[in-house]
Amino acid sequence: ISRYMPKVKPSLLDIKFIKMAMQMASESYNGKFSICKPIRASETNEIYKPKFYCIEYASNLYVVTRGSKSDVDFMTDLDCIEVKKNINGKEIYFHRGFYEASNYVFNSVFDLLNKKYQTIYFIGHSYAAAVSSILTLLTKSDIRWCFNVEIGQL
């Protein structure tokens, strides 16, 4: 599998990008974005199902997850049971609430991840930052993703 894994070459983050990401994370709390209208919005908000938005901007995809705001978000935060998952032959421990929420978002946006975007960014604050970190790992380890992505796309 490792030979099919996309190479990751993180670009240097500049202050303009950081400000834009912070603004998107902030705007996710009300679902209204100044950069452009989301191409997909999940208004579902249940335990392990955070609200998230997909924004297409300048040949990039931004998956912006909202941080903790509702009671069910806080219930997900509090589900801190440790779960062990085998990813690419390594056992990795996760916070169950964040892992389940990440799987929900990943499966909900998977069809968009296979499109030809220059870069895909996962953005979020608080609960959503944890979800975004796990989403990055999931995109690098899901076998469906590995065989559909061109080397160097991300």
Side-chain angles (χ1 to χ4, degrees), residues 22-44:
M22 290 173 61
Q23 183 173 347
M24 285 182 177
S26 177
E27 290 173 347
S28 70
Y29 284 89
N30 66 20
K32 295 183 171 119
F33 295 88
S34 58
I35 192 169
C36 62
K37 185 178 177 180
I39 59 170
R40 180 172 298 166
S42 172
E43 292 298 320
T44 300

Side-chain angles (χ1 to χ4, degrees), residues 15-154:
I15 194 69
K16 184 178 176 182
F17 175 82
I18 292 169
K19 285 182 178 180
M20 182 177 73
M22 290 173 61
Q23 183 173 347
M24 285 182 177
S26 177
E27 290 173 347
S28 70
Y29 284 89
N30 66 20
K32 295 183 171 119
F33 295 88
S34 58
I35 192 169
C36 62
K37 185 178 177 180
I39 59 170
R40 180 172 298 166
S42 172
E43 292 298 320
T44 300
N45 190 213
E46 300 169 11
I47 191 163
Y48 312 129
K49 294 182 179 180
K51 288 188 176 187
F52 68 87
Y53 307 89
C54 297
I55 298 171
E56 220 174 42
Y57 179 71
S59 301
N60 299 319
L61 177 66
Y62 298 84
V63 179
V64 185
T65 306
R66 188 190 76 188
S68 302
K69 186 175 178 182
S70 69
D71 289 345
V72 291
D73 292 334
F74 290 108
M75 289 171 61
T76 302
D77 286 337
L78 293 172
D79 185 0
C80 56
I81 303 289
E82 189 175 71
V83 294
K84 178 173 61 172
K85 299 294 177 183
N86 188 312
I87 296 184
N88 291 342
K90 294 187 179 194
E91 291 183 346
I92 301 177
Y93 293 86
F94 294 97
H95 172 289
R96 183 172 62 188
F98 299 155
Y99 180 78
E100 294 298 333
S102 300
N103 272 308
Y104 166 72
V105 175
F106 181 72
N107 289 319
S108 298
V109 302
F110 185 79
D111 63 311
L112 292 175
L113 300 179
N114 283 321
K115 295 194 175 185
K116 303 291 182 197
Y117 291 104
Q118 183 176 342
T119 308
I120 299 170
Y121 296 99
F122 298 102
I123 296 174
H125 165 259
S126 183
Y127 159 37
V131 168
S132 295
S133 296
I134 297 170
L135 279 167
T136 301
L137 179 63
L138 292 176
T139 60
K140 301 298 178 199
S141 62
D142 187 282
I143 195 74
R144 297 170 301 168
W145 169 256
C146 294
F147 286 105
N148 289 320
V149 161
E150 292 179 16
I151 301 301
Q153 183 177 347
L154 284 182

